[in-house]
């Protein structure tokens, strides 16, 4: 952290997006996290992605739980809506908010402790319900805020900062998400914004439950030899299965790729995801094959990253509940209160 | 791209834009911090060492530092570097205790200085404490050169000149005032070890057009007229005055006229307003005193009646650019313009004149009748005769005269020690970390968002009433502090150590100016285009370091860095450090003789 606010002066040639905003307009308060914390890079990636997409900051809601990761929504998108829930309860609050106003863009920001321990149940249900959101877990393998205890995502056999080996089995949140029916699933690394930013963009555009497991080294408690969530370990074992370009409308991407290595997937909102295969045998639209691949590579100690699963035609919670297009929070008494006659009719039907 | 060699003293020097642009390389941010700390005397002494006349320059400098100032690249206006210098001069305590004393012993070497302007006085200041016996020849009754004879008192009070010239005269040169040198041969015959020619560019150009002779009584050459005013020989001028010319002499002539009875004073220039040689602030000052500047008017004739000047006629022109982009002034065809007037001041340029230098003593002159002078050593083709200030390469300004003086003094000192003057001494450089704690630095890294402050002026009516009343009141302590806080401390350098870097991106993310990039290396042109913010200013370097674990390079665009230190505060491993880079040019004395 620093004690200073970021100066308002900015690069004189800073580009403006379609809304006339610069990326500096998407910043929040100055971070209070430890210097070098991976979570700050994820915040920067979110800022970059929202700027790239020309999202209106005040049409975004950021929700989080408890933890260093859950503190970060304060450090990006200052003008957005924010809700800091109790530990592990972000998914339910987000689900409720989304039910009340389906028009906002929902960013659920959480940690591995917040989502894989105390909040595991909430995490599971928000995904299986298909809440339209980006759920991002800033995964450092520890409870950073409470001084570095192993979290449930820490690999068995990995060492704590004081050299103690972890004896519990890890929870792989990506495998869980595959099983729970999330329709956009990715893993990335805070130290690789080239990969992370397009994934965040695509996940925001995805009209369903999008989940990103982002490895995010904890500089203070989990960046030592023996850790499997350190910068060095992830850099040495990062196995990206693909890279991604996000194209909106008629935008064209000029980069050349060898034939047969590129695959375009049109999302429901009209955006196109152009995937460049890095691993020959990886098919991101095959849920079971993906699960299998991930487990095989994880057993070898590799960290598989990239867009791991995508259902281009997702169903979201509102479709399941068949709610009206107008956000519920904009409906008046006339639309919401059925009236005595309607109640009588319902009651009669139940007799 | 090759990794940057930060051991080369020029590299970080260039990052300190103001100091690099200052001909005398004054350590600007160092003195600005001292002003902010209220340490005015220390700030003054930093200046005095480099530029010899802080009080004079704080009011009159041409300030090449300001257009160079980085602040001007990141917001509207640069730091008011020049006027901050004046704050140090105005608010300092008695500095005499810190000044060198006259040498106790002579070193047996004798040096003659011709002219007592800023160039010669700088040579004198640098050499006298070393034991040189210095003789100054000056045709005027007082020392100071054009600082005293030309610059009007309402810009520069005489007390300031007396004080700062006095510090040098206190070192006890032999002063021969009122002594015009008519023969360099004769001076050389006196057996000096070196002769420095600092005679300035003393001749004002005339305008030989119709009516010049007939109306001569009311047509004055600008610089001659200004010096007559300065020395009290002229005390008034007609009501209606035309000033011809667009340089700083013209600006001083018109403003002086306003104070000596000119109520209707106009400046007329041949070319466009934008192309005038005068600095923007000088034009502003003139217009503020109700002096219109009329442009694109070429003088045609002085009009006269019964042997008296009655006015001038001008041809109207416009600018036309040929295919090579050269500008020509072509008549518009409109009727000539006549302006009535009582006096005309001709300020259309200044020339060098060396009628007193014999052409057979080994000093070569070029086709423009200028001596051939080595730009590094200031030597002429007769090695023991050196030139500096306006005499060397034509009219410039005070700070260039000072810079030349320092370099000439180094040459003389090396020559007298039997060393080759072409071998120039390296500057003295110290680089020191400013880290005091995790988030604490020994400089104020919280960047001020304030816009440039204006220097308060004396009310116009009062200022125009007395030619000796200084127009600018100067910053008071509060304004001086606020303006000083705008300085970005460009001398506190971002120093990167690749071996400590874990590539966590923290510095990239926090940098408010998008200066830092980790990327694959490439040719400079290609790399510049791939940076977080493309580096489009080729005059500013890319700081490049190799040796990162991922094989990428760290590339930092120095262009718009605020030196805010946030990169270093956010760095978990201390790979970034903020290190103060203090550079002093080496002046005459022991240090300049250490390289053989
Ligand atoms: C009207 C006017 C306004 C100016 N305003 C500014 C300003 O605001 N800021 C700025 O930076 N610069 C200004 N300048 C320019 C500046 O004054 C000169 O560039 C500077 O003084 C040059 O210094 P110097 O030491 O080379 O010579 P000078 O200052 O010209 O000194 C030369 C000295 O040599 C003497 N001399 C000449 N020939 C002989 C001889 N044969 N024998 C004996 N003595 C001799 C002269 O009398 C004079 O005193 C101005 C110039 C003019 C004309
Ligand atoms: C109900 C409750 N139980 C326990 C805690 C203590 N606590 C605070 S943060 C935290 C873990 C946070 O870990 P994670 O979500 O991984 O965040 P990180 O700090 O690692 O980013 C715990 C257990 C709490 N605040 N509230
Ligand atoms: S404790 Fe770890 S997770 Fe928390 S701010 Fe520090 S580095 Fe980041
Ligand atoms: S900001 Fe300060 S140090 Fe930087 S160029 Fe301007 S005056 Fe010099
Ligand atoms: S000091 Fe560091 S953080 Fe500040 S502008 Fe310069 S490079 Fe960026
Ligand atoms: Mg954690």
């Amino acid at each position: 952290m620093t004690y200073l606010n970021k100066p308002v002066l900015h690069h004189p040639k800073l580009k403006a997006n379609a809304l006339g905003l610069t990326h500096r307009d998407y910043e929040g308060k100055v971070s209070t996290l430890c210097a070098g914390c991976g979570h700050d890079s994820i915040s920067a990636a979110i800022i970059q992605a929202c700027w790239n997409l020309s999202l209106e900051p005040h049409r975004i809601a950021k929700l989080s739980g408890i933890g260093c990761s859950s503190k970060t929504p304060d450090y990006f998108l200052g003008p957005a809506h924010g809700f800091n829930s109790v530990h592990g309860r972000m998914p339910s609050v987000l689900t409720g908010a989304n039910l009340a106003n389906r028009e906002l863009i929902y960013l659920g920001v959480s940690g591995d402790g917040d989502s894989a321990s105390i909040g595991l149940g909430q995490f599971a249900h928000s995904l299986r319900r298909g809440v339209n959101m980006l759920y991002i877990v800033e995964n450092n393998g520890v409870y950073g805020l409470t001084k570095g205890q192993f979290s449930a995502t820490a690999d068995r056999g990995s060492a704590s900062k004081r050299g103690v080996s972890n004896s519990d089995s890890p929870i792989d949140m990506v495998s869980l998400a595959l099983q729970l029916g999330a329709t956009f699933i990715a893993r990335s690394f805070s130290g690789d914004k080239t990969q992370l930013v397009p994934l965040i963009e695509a996940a925001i555009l995805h009209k369903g439950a999008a989940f990103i497991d982002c490895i995010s080294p904890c500089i203070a408690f989990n960046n030592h030899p023996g850790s499997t969530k350190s910068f060095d370990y992830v850099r040495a074992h990062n196995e990206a299965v693909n890279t991604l370009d996000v194209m909106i409308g008629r935008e064209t991407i000029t980069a050349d790729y060898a034939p047969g290595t590129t695959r375009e997937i049109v999302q429901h909102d009209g955006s196109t995801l152009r995937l460049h295969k890095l691993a020959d045998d990886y098919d991101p639209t095959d849920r079971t094959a993906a699960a299998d691949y991930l487990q095989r590579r994880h057993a070898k100690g590799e960290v598989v990253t990239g867009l791991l699963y995508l259902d281009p035609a997702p169903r979201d919670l509102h479709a399941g509940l068949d709610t009206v297009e107008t956000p519920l929070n904009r409906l008046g008494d006339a639309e919401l209160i059925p009236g005595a006659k309607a109640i009588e009719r319902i009651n009669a039907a139940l007799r | 791209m090759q990794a940057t060699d930060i051991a080369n003293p020029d590299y970080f020097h260039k990052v300190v834009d103001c100091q690099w642009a200052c001909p005398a390389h004054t350590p600007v941010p160092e003195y600005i911090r001292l002003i902010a700390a209220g340490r005015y005397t220390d700030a003054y002494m930093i200046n005095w060492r480099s530029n010899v006349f802080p009080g004079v320059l704080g009011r009159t400098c041409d300030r090449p530092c300001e257009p160079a100032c980085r602040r001007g690249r990141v917001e509207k206006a640069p730091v008011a570097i020049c006027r901050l210098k004046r704050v140090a001069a105005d608010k300092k305590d008695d500095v005499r205790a810190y000044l060198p004393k006259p040498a106790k012993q002579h070193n047996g070497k004798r040096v003659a200085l011709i002219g007592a302007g800023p160039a010669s006085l700088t040579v004198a200041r640098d050499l006298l404490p070393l034991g040189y016996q210095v003789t100054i020849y000056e045709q005027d009754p007082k020392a100071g050169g054009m600082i005293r004879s030309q610059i009007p008192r309402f810009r520069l009070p005489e007390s300031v000149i007396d004080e700062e010239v006095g510090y040098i005269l206190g070192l006890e040169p032999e002063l021969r005032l009122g002594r015009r040198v008519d023969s360099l041969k004769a001076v050389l015959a006196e057996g000096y070890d070196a002769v420095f020619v600092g005679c300035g560019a003393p001749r004002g150009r005339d305008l030989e057009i119709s009516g010049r002779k007939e109306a001569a009584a009311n047509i004055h050459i600008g610089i001659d007229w200004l010096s007559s005013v300065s020395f009290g020989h002229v005390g008034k001028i007609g009501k209606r005055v035309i000033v011809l010319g667009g340089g700083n002499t013209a600006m001083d002539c018109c403003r002086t006229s306003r104070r000596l009875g000119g109520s209707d004073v106009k400046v007329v220039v041949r070319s466009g307003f934008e192309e005038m040689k005068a600095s923007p602030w000088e034009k502003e000052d003139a217009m503020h005193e109700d002096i219109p500047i009329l442009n694109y008017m070429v003088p045609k004739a002085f009009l006269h009646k019964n042997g008296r000047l009655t006015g001038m006629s001008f041809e109207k022109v416009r600018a036309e650019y040929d295919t090579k982009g050269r500008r020509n002034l072509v008549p518009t065809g409109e009727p000539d313009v006549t302006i009535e007037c009582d006096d005309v001041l001709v300020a259309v340029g200044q020339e060098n004149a060396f009628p007193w230098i014999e052409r057979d003593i080994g000093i070569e002159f070029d086709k423009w009748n200028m001596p051939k002078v080595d730009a590094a050593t200031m030597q002429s083709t007769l090695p023991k005769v050196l030139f500096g200030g306006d005499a060397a390469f034509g009219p410039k300004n005070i700070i260039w005269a000072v810079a030349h003086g320092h370099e000439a003094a180094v040459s003389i000192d090396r020559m007298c020690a039997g060393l080759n003057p072409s071998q120039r001494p390296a500057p003295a450089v110290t680089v020191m970390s400013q880290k005091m704690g995790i988030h604490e630095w020994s400089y104020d890294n919280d960047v001020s968002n304030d816009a440039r402050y204006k220097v308060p002026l004396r009310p116009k009516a009062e200022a125009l009433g007395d030619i000796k009343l200084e127009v600018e009141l100067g910053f008071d302590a509060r304004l001086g502090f606020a303006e000083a806080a705008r300085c970005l401390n460009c001398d506190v350098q971002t120093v990167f150590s690749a071996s400590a870097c874990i590539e966590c991106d923290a510095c990239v993310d926090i940098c408010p100016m998008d200066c830092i990039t980790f990327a694959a290396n490439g040719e400079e042109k290609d790399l510049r285009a791939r940076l977080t913010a493309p580096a489009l200013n080729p005059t500013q370097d890319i700081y490049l370091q190799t040796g990162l674990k991922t094989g990428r390079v760290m590339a930092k665009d120095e262009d718009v860095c605020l030196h805010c230190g946030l990169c270093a505060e956010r760095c978990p491993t201390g790979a970034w450090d903020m290190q103060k880079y203090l550079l002093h040019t080496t002046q005459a004395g022991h240090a300049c003789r250490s390289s053989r």
Side-chain angles (χ1 to χ4, degrees):
Chain A
M1 67 175 282
T2 85
Y3 298 140
L4 296 181
N5 285 320
K6 215 161 153 169
V8 294
L9 293 176
H10 57 71
H11 196 285
K13 299 261 161 57
L14 218 51
K15 275 204 236 139
N17 63 12
L19 298 175
L21 301 176
T22 70
H23 75 79
R24 297 287 310 269
D25 296 320
Y26 288 77
E27 288 176 353
K29 291 202 193 104
V30 74
S31 167
T32 59
L33 302 186
C34 301
C37 178
H39 300 349
D40 279 336
S41 288
I42 301 177
S43 298
I46 293 174
I47 288 171
Q48 189 64 42
C50 292
W51 180 81
N52 287 351
L53 293 177
S54 293
L55 301 181
E56 293 176 299
H58 68 281
R59 300 305 292 164
I60 299 174
K62 10 168 227 188
L63 297 98
S64 62
I66 298 294
C68 298
S69 36
S70 292
K71 285 170 72 179
T72 62
D74 211 17
Y75 316 140
F76 56 82
L77 296 174
H81 305 272
F83 195 102
N84 206 186
S85 83
V86 287
H87 205 10
R89 269 52 184 162
M90 176 274 283
S92 322
V93 180
L94 190 153
T95 305
N98 186 307
L99 268 179
N101 184 356
R102 61 188 296 177
E103 282 186 350
L104 296 182
I105 291 167
Y106 289 91
L107 295 183
V109 179
S110 181
D112 44 326
D114 197 55
S115 284
S117 295
I118 191 169
L120 189 61
Q122 307 245 327
F123 164 78
H125 292 294
S126 67
L127 294 191
R128 56 174 278 280
R129 285 180 177 136
V131 179
N132 181 13
M133 63 181 171
L134 161 57
Y135 192 128
I136 185 162
V137 166
E138 308 190 345
N139 185 353
N140 55 15
V142 288
Y143 298 169
L145 192 69
T146 54
K147 302 261 177 290
Q149 302 82 353
F150 281 124
S151 79
T153 63
D155 286 310
R156 178 183 293 177
S158 68
S160 75
K161 196 174 181 179
R162 300 176 68 190
V164 180
S165 175
N166 180 33
S167 52
D168 298 343
S169 288
I171 292 177
D172 176 22
M173 305 213 61
V174 166
S175 298
L176 273 187
L178 279 167
Q179 203 259 308
L180 291 165
T183 44
F184 180 112
I185 302 168
R187 180 149 49 217
S188 191
F189 171 43
S190 67
D192 184 2
K193 286 204 199 67
T194 337
Q195 182 191 52
L196 178 57
V197 172
L199 285 174
I200 294 175
E201 290 172 21
I204 289 176
L205 295 173
H206 183 76
K207 296 263 180 275
F211 173 69
I212 300 178
D213 175 25
C214 190
I215 313 292
S216 174
C218 170
I219 285 286
F221 301 112
N222 205 8
N223 191 40
H224 46 266
S227 158
T228 57
K229 301 279 191 288
S230 65
F231 279 106
D232 284 352
Y233 184 90
V234 179
R235 286 220 166 91
H237 297 87
N238 190 340
E239 197 186 278
V241 291
N242 48 33
T243 66
L244 180 68
D245 290 326
V246 179
M247 293 175 289
I248 300 159
R250 275 178 300 282
E251 228 178 295
T252 46
I253 303 272
T254 45
D256 276 338
Y257 297 94
T261 62
T262 299
R263 172 165 176 194
E264 286 186 3
I265 302 174
V266 179
Q267 291 216 98
H268 212 58
D269 67 306
S271 63
T272 304
L273 305 184
R274 183 178 282 183
L275 279 167
H276 318 291
K277 262 193 206 174
L278 299 176
D280 273 349
D281 47 347
Y282 196 83
D283 176 4
T285 54
D286 183 341
R287 204 183 271 273
T288 42
D292 180 51
Y293 185 92
L294 284 166
Q295 272 169 25
R296 276 189 284 113
R297 301 310 297 160
H298 183 252
K300 290 247 167 14
E302 299 302 319
V303 182
V304 176
T305 61
L307 177 54
L308 304 177
Y309 176 72
L310 176 69
D311 178 348
R315 272 165 57 87
D316 87 327
L317 173 66
H318 285 276
L321 295 176
D322 195 21
T323 49
V324 288
E325 276 305 310
T326 314
L328 302 187
N329 70 341
R330 286 224 301 271
L331 298 180
D333 286 358
E335 295 93 339
L336 287 173
I337 302 172
K341 275 212 182 103
I343 295 284
E344 263 171 36
R345 224 175 28 243
I346 293 167
N347 283 343
L350 295 173
R351 280 197 190 102
Chain B
M1 233 188 125
Q2 291 281 312
T4 304
D5 175 17
I6 58 170
N8 174 355
D10 278 357
Y11 182 76
F12 281 143
H13 189 182
K14 269 172 85 178
V15 175
V16 197
D17 293 285
C18 47
Q19 185 174 10
W20 180 254
C22 173
H25 302 310
T26 306
V28 174
E30 178 77 355
Y31 82 69
I32 291 184
R33 276 190 300 273
L34 290 168
I35 290 170
R39 289 170 56 185
Y40 304 115
T41 303
D42 293 330
Y44 183 85
M45 291 312 297
I46 294 268
N47 272 289
W48 190 80
R49 183 195 180 280
S50 297
N51 55 53
V52 191
F53 303 100
V56 170
L57 288 164
R59 294 165 164 88
T60 61
C61 189
D62 259 356
R63 22 173 151 155
C65 53
E66 292 192 17
C69 171
R70 160 168 287 119
R71 185 101 195 177
R73 296 200 295 274
V74 300
E75 57 130 329
K76 278 210 197 80
V79 175
I81 302 172
C82 178
R83 291 326 190 234
L84 283 172
K85 197 189 307 292
R86 175 177 168 183
V87 173
D90 285 358
K91 304 213 170 299
K92 68 182 187 305
D93 304 320
D94 188 344
V95 296
R96 279 172 298 184
Y98 304 106
L99 301 177
K101 306 283 169 297
K104 289 208 180 69
Q105 262 182 331
H106 290 308
N107 68 357
K109 305 287 181 188
R110 293 167 59 240
V111 177
L113 312 178
I114 299 174
S120 290
L121 290 173
T122 300
V123 178
R125 190 207 71 173
D126 286 0
L127 294 184
L128 282 164
L130 306 178
Y132 285 86
Q133 215 173 325
V134 173
T135 307
I136 307 180
Y137 297 83
E138 168 59 57
Q139 64 190 8
D140 285 344
K142 283 184 169 179
M146 286 192 171
I147 290 177
R148 198 183 289 276
S149 64
Q150 295 293 319
I151 299 181
R153 300 291 178 259
F154 57 84
R155 286 209 285 132
L156 177 61
E158 186 145 37
S159 57
V160 179
I161 309 173
D162 288 343
E163 178 192 333
E164 292 187 334
V165 170
Y167 292 154
I168 299 165
L169 301 185
L171 296 170
E172 300 173 357
E174 186 194 337
L175 257 188
R176 301 197 185 165
L177 293 175
R179 275 280 299 277
R180 184 184 156 78
V181 173
D182 291 313
S183 160
L184 182 56
K185 210 181 235 175
V187 173
L188 286 168
E190 290 189 41
Y192 291 105
D193 294 285
V195 176
F196 176 81
V197 180
C199 64
R203 188 183 284 166
R205 267 199 211 113
D206 205 345
L207 190 63
E208 301 293 351
I209 53 174
S210 145
R212 174 70 181 91
K213 281 202 187 67
E214 296 81 339
N218 292 88
I219 301 171
H220 321 278
I221 300 294
I223 64 169
D224 299 342
W225 183 77
L226 283 173
S227 69
S228 302
V229 173
S230 287
F231 288 116
H233 308 315
V234 166
K236 60 179 195 308
I237 196 160
K239 278 207 167 66
R240 301 167 305 167
V241 182
I242 294 177
V243 177
L244 300 175
N248 47 19
T249 306
M251 297 301 108
D252 282 341
C253 284
C254 67
R255 296 180 69 196
T256 300
S257 302
R258 283 288 278 131
R259 288 159 170 82
L260 295 182
S263 50
D264 171 11
V265 180
K266 294 185 176 71
V267 172
V268 183
V269 296
R270 290 162 51 93
S271 54
F273 181 83
E274 271 69 39
E275 299 153 76
M276 288 168 62
K277 284 220 181 85
S279 311
W281 56 87
E282 291 178 304
K283 296 194 261 186
E284 254 167 54
D285 290 341
M287 293 185 298
H288 172 72
E289 294 179 353
D290 312 314
I291 300 163
I293 298 177
L294 312 176
N295 64 358
Y296 291 123
M297 286 169 54
V298 176
K300 218 167 166 184
F302 293 103
L303 310 175
H304 50 92
K305 206 172 185 178
N306 307 328
R308 255 196 94 78
L309 178 77
T310 58
M312 283 193 74
S313 64
F314 298 90
E315 180 176 50
K316 297 200 76 175
V317 294
R318 62 187 152 78
E320 234 173 47
Y321 295 86
D322 65 16
T323 46
K324 289 202 181 103
R326 274 180 312 216
R327 191 214 55 185
N328 294 310
L329 294 174
V330 294
T332 61
E334 290 166 86
D336 288 351
V337 178
T338 300
I339 302 176
E340 292 181 1
C341 66
D342 304 312
D343 283 285
V344 172
L345 296 171
V346 182
V348 295
Q350 228 176 298
E351 283 170 344
N352 291 81
F354 303 99
W356 51 277
I357 299 184
E358 293 82 355
R359 302 299 146 115
D360 62 351
I361 53 176
I363 299 178
E364 286 174 32
F365 282 76
D366 63 18
K367 61 179 172 188
W368 297 282
N369 236 341
M370 288 295 287
K372 291 186 179 166
V373 178
D374 181 311
T377 66
M378 308 311 292
Q379 288 172 297
S380 70
T381 49
L382 182 62
K384 70 164 153 176
V385 176
L386 302 92
F387 286 73
D390 289 357
F393 311 110
K396 284 192 170 165
N397 54 36
I398 303 168
I399 190 65
W400 269 112
V402 168
H404 290 166
H406 288 314
E407 294 307 317
V410 165
S411 298
I412 293 170
D413 198 31
R414 285 184 63 88
M415 249 188 323
C416 289
L419 299 169
N420 176 7
S422 299
Q423 170 106 39
R424 306 307 288 177
V429 173
T430 53
V431 186
M432 212 192 343
S433 175
Q434 300 297 290
K435 201 171 172 89
M436 310 262 289
I438 297 182
H439 308 297
E440 243 181 296
W441 305 95
S442 55
Y443 73 109
D444 178 9
N445 64 328
D446 196 356
V447 174
S448 158
N449 295 324
D450 295 359
R452 180 176 169 124
Y453 289 88
K454 281 208 165 66
V455 177
L457 302 181
R458 201 177 287 281
K460 187 155 68 181
E462 190 190 338
L464 290 176
D466 181 350
I467 192 159
K468 291 200 168 137
L469 265 191
E470 191 172 13
V471 176
E472 288 191 10
L473 298 172
F475 288 134
D476 59 17
R478 191 188 60 83
L479 283 174
F481 175 79
E483 183 61 30
R486 295 183 68 241
C487 173
L488 298 172
N489 303 289
C490 303
D491 60 339
V492 183
Q493 308 286 350
T494 55
V495 179
F496 182 75
S497 126
S499 57
C501 175
I502 57 167
E503 298 174 69
C504 70
D505 266 5
C507 55
V508 178
D509 296 337
I510 193 68
C511 177
M513 305 307 281
D514 298 301
C515 293
I516 305 171
T517 307
F518 291 90
N521 203 353
E523 288 301 314
E524 176 163 351
K525 202 167 157 241
D526 151 66
L527 190 60
R528 277 178 175 270
R530 284 193 282 121
L531 300 185
T532 311
L536 305 172
N537 181 354
T539 66
Q540 293 280 323
D541 287 326
I542 302 293
Y543 177 22
L544 190 111
Q545 292 290 280
T546 54
L548 292 169
K549 269 197 190 146
T550 60
R552 298 181 298 174
V553 296
M554 186 293 299
K556 182 202 158 199
D557 182 8
E558 298 282 13
D559 190 16
V560 291
C561 168
L562 302 176
H563 298 259
C564 63
L566 290 182
C567 47
E569 289 199 13
R570 276 309 171 95
C571 180
T573 66
W576 284 105
D577 191 22
M578 303 305 292
Q579 300 185 359
K580 184 169 90 178
Y581 173 88
L582 185 59
L583 177 142
H584 286 294
T585 55
T586 299
Q587 299 180 346
H590 182 69
C592 95
R593 289 178 232 128
S594 54
S595 59
R596 301 195 165 252

